[in-house]
Amino acid sequence: LALSIPPSTTLQLQTPTLTRFKAVVAYDGTYFSGWQVQRDSPQRTVAGTLEQTLTEIYNLNASSFYVLGASRTDTGVHAKGQTCHFDLPIPQTVPTRHTINAALPRDVSLLSLTPTPDPQFHAIMDSTSKLYSYRISINSVMDPFMRLFRTHVYYDVDIELLETALKLFVGTHDFRAFSGQLEQKAKQKGGAVPTVRTIYDVRLIDEGAGLYKIDFHLQGALYKMVRNMVGTALSVAKGDVELAELKR
């Protein structure tokens, strides 16, 4: 993926008040327990790492500062361009993207950092759609250099059947059966957790040499919804689940 990013420059702002920033973040999720900060847990998260770095740079009150992402990713999930926002008390000279990246660990970086023209900009509410990619290898032996970024499907699968199964997810449906335990437990306790989601398109892309990418263009996803859909579609392609069962 080629991204054209202008050189870092010092941003000049006039008013020393809270300014909302939009940032696009890329990260290797291997050693992160997902995006969302877990306040009562020592687990390392992407948002938590960003918050810690920014509070140290700006000498902020950690209890009142937060970074809000457009999506919550699960443990081990990577991102090439996840949008987030945060508010900073800005002096006359603002630290640049380069300054923040220099303080961040090497497995997370800001691809862009801009003050938002609209102070009410919201990473979640202003998101129009999202793209989730799931990569698999159907080779008999998994390339060890790909092990952190692909799932090894070591059994025989019918690729045409896999594509047919994946296409059944397109549209607006109740994806409760594909949601993770968080949503299911909340519903069992009587919590109001909406599980209806819209998937605009699903594409199975042949990358050659036994490698495939599955792209989900969707409105939003439930906890572990994408990986559960892929797992079910692979079960159909393997012959363990009938296509008719998925249609129900």
Side-chain angles (χ1 to χ4, degrees):
L1 177 65
L3 296 171
S4 177
I5 301 173
S8 299
T9 55
T10 299
L11 304 174
Q12 298 294 331
L13 298 178
Q14 302 301 319
T15 306
T17 57
L18 279 178
T19 297
R20 178 150 295 185
F21 279 82
K22 171 187 175 182
V24 178
V25 187
Y27 52 88
D28 175 346
T30 303
Y31 300 109
F32 286 107
S33 295
W35 169 272
Q36 193 73 8
V37 174
Q38 301 175 37
R39 302 296 180 187
D40 300 324
S41 170
Q43 291 182 317
R44 183 174 184 252
T45 67
V46 181
T49 299
L50 291 170
E51 289 178 6
Q52 180 180 355
T53 301
L54 289 166
T55 53
E56 290 175 355
I57 291 176
Y58 283 93
N59 193 26
L60 302 173
N61 182 351
S63 64
S64 59
F65 176 74
Y66 65 92
V67 175
L68 185 68
S71 298
R72 295 181 301 170
T73 52
D74 304 333
T75 298
V77 174
H78 317 288
K80 285 190 173 183
Q82 180 164 349
T83 299
C84 65
H85 80 252
F86 46 83
D87 299 329
L88 295 176
I90 300 303
Q92 291 299 315
T93 302
V94 182
T96 64
R97 183 188 72 237
H98 175 76
T99 302
I100 297 173
N101 281 337
L104 285 167
R106 297 176 65 183
D107 50 1
V108 57
S109 297
L110 298 189
L111 300 181
S112 66
L113 174 68
T114 54
T116 62
D118 181 2
Q120 300 302 315
F121 169 80
H122 196 282
I124 296 176
M125 303 304 295
D126 290 331
S127 172
T128 56
S129 64
K130 300 167 186 177
L131 178 66
Y132 286 76
S133 295
Y134 202 99
R135 290 172 166 82
I136 63 174
S137 168
I138 63 170
N139 294 308
S140 58
V141 178
M142 180 68 167
D143 183 339
F145 290 100
M146 296 182 180
R147 74 191 191 282
L148 301 178
F149 306 100
R150 287 187 187 271
T151 294
H152 185 204
V153 180
Y154 53 85
Y155 43 81
D156 291 335
V157 294
D158 183 328
I159 292 299
E160 290 187 5
L161 190 55
L162 174 61
E163 185 170 27
T164 300
L166 289 168
K167 289 294 185 181
L168 292 178
F169 294 121
V170 175
T172 300
H173 311 285
D174 186 343
F175 288 95
R176 177 172 47 192
F178 300 95
S179 64
Q181 293 182 352
L182 292 179
E183 281 83 6
Q184 291 179 9
K185 287 181 178 179
K187 282 218 164 187
Q188 289 173 0
K189 294 179 180 179
V193 179
T195 52
V196 174
R197 294 291 187 273
T198 298
I199 296 180
Y200 303 116
D201 191 22
V202 181
R203 294 187 180 182
L204 177 63
I205 301 169
D206 186 347
E207 299 180 298
L211 306 177
Y212 291 85
K213 181 176 70 163
I214 305 169
D215 281 347
F216 291 86
H217 180 207
L218 40 74
Q219 178 187 50
L222 299 165
Y223 178 61
K224 293 188 176 180
M225 172 178 149
V226 172
R227 68 176 64 184
N228 288 339
M229 287 190 298
V230 171
T232 302
L234 284 170
S235 293
V236 172
K238 182 184 177 184
D240 289 344
V241 175
E242 292 293 330
L243 187 63
E245 293 183 44
L246 189 56
K247 290 180 178 179
R248 282 190 267 177

